[in-house]
Amino acid sequence: MFKKEAIKERKEFNNELYNKIFKITKKPGIILDLGCGLNPLSFPYKDIAYLASDIDVEAMRKVKKHFKKNKIRGEVFYFDLNNTKELKKIKKVDIALMFKVLDDLDKKTIKEALNNIKTKYFVVSFATRTISGKRMNSPKRTWFEKLIKSKICNKIRYFNEVFYVIKK
């Protein structure tokens, strides 16, 4: 079950974050959110199509209900990022979001996702603080920066999370 805090995770900077992302990428027509959890509940734009996916059925139910209630153009579907054979079946999008999901995947799966998802940009984030608010032992993901090499367009940092905007 989700706590209300999960929805408020980026409340302090949510609108600013998307404004910064769209300044780099241009405002998209369609977004894919892989491992979305409840992130779509705080998405501030109704004029952008939103494809939301996760492995958590309860989260998907809440997101679907939110889309319907708020008349948001979007789709909600189950997708496990570990199932790399299915990556090529995902629709082409302008931006693919992967907020705080890559730490749970192996490097081969991450490479497959970055290579096979049809998108112009990825926006990937990592936590820099623990749930209790303490600074993480290794908040910098040098392994990830090496993996994506020179494809980073920008890094957006907040007190608890760092976002990488990556041009494909």
Side-chain angles (χ1 to χ4, degrees):
M1 215 46 169
F2 294 103
K3 295 180 180 178
K4 288 183 180 180
E5 292 81 32
I7 300 169
K8 298 177 183 177
E9 178 182 19
R10 297 178 189 95
K11 184 180 179 182
E12 293 178 33
F13 59 84
N14 194 56
N15 290 354
E16 178 183 292
L17 170 65
Y18 285 108
N19 286 335
K20 286 181 178 184
I21 291 170
F22 298 161
K23 189 173 183 180
I24 298 163
T25 64
K26 305 297 179 231
K27 192 172 177 184
I30 187 165
I31 283 182
L32 168 66
D33 193 342
L34 295 157
C36 69
L38 297 177
N39 191 47
L41 301 179
S42 62
F43 188 69
Y45 298 89
K46 289 188 178 187
D47 60 334
I48 297 172
Y50 202 113
L51 305 179
S53 71
D54 204 295
I55 59 172
D56 187 314
V57 177
E58 179 66 15
M60 296 292 80
R61 187 187 63 71
K62 288 180 186 242
V63 170
K64 190 172 187 175
K65 185 178 177 181
H66 172 75
F67 282 2
K68 186 175 181 176
K69 178 182 176 186
N70 294 287
K71 297 181 175 130
I72 295 171
R73 283 187 308 133
E75 278 180 48
V76 178
F77 61 100
Y78 177 91
F79 189 80
D80 183 348
L81 274 164
N82 287 302
N83 189 353
T84 56
K85 292 177 184 176
E86 298 294 311
L87 287 169
K88 292 181 181 180
K89 294 180 181 179
I90 295 175
K91 294 179 182 179
K92 184 178 180 182
V93 297
D94 298 311
I95 299 173
L97 306 176
M98 291 191 280
F99 292 172
K100 297 201 294 192
V101 296
L102 296 189
D103 279 334
D104 296 330
L105 302 173
D106 64 62
K107 289 183 179 103
K108 182 179 182 232
T109 301
I110 295 168
K111 283 182 190 179
E112 289 285 325
L114 294 174
N115 288 330
N116 290 305
I117 294 171
K118 297 174 284 289
T119 186
K120 295 175 189 171
Y121 293 92
F122 286 96
V123 181
V124 176
S125 81
F126 295 96
T128 58
R129 300 219 173 249
T130 64
I131 292 171
S132 65
K134 294 179 182 174
R135 192 169 190 273
M136 294 181 83
N137 293 337
S138 300
K140 190 172 181 185
R141 303 309 196 284
T142 51
W143 64 267
F144 181 70
E145 292 184 13
K146 286 178 184 177
L147 179 72
I148 58 174
K149 298 178 182 132
S150 62
K151 295 180 182 181
I152 300 173
C153 291
N154 208 330
K155 273 193 226 179
I156 303 168
R157 288 187 174 94
Y158 289 96
F159 67 95
N160 63 338
E161 200 167 357
V162 61
F163 297 83
Y164 292 85
V165 181
I166 306 156
K167 185 170 179 140
K168 186 159 180 191

